[in-house]
């Protein structure tokens, strides 16, 4: 859900105004931290080199 909300804010009609309001420029990086826990992640425990 958080990714969908972030995508909605950073794309579409009015994106330039929203990005300006948030102070996001062409070189900005957005970090999305998910705190939903492992129950919400179907690939929990899968690390590098692990098949999902």
């Amino acid at each position: 859900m958080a990714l969908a909300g972030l995508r909605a804010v950073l794309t579409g009609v009015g994106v330039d105004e929203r990005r300006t309001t948030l102070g996001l420029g062409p070189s900005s990086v957005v970090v999305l931290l998910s705190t939903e826990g492992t129950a919400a992640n179907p690939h929990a425990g899968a690390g590098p080199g692990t098949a999902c």
Side-chain angles (χ1 to χ4, degrees), residues 6-46:
L6 183 60
R7 189 175 285 160
V9 167
L10 299 178
T11 61
V13 177
V15 68
D16 292 331
E17 182 180 351
R18 288 191 299 275
R19 285 178 179 246
T20 299
T21 300
L22 293 169
L24 297 174
S27 62
S28 295
V29 175
V30 176
V31 176
L32 178 63
L33 178 64
S34 175
T35 60
E36 295 172 343
T38 57
N41 184 357
H43 301 292

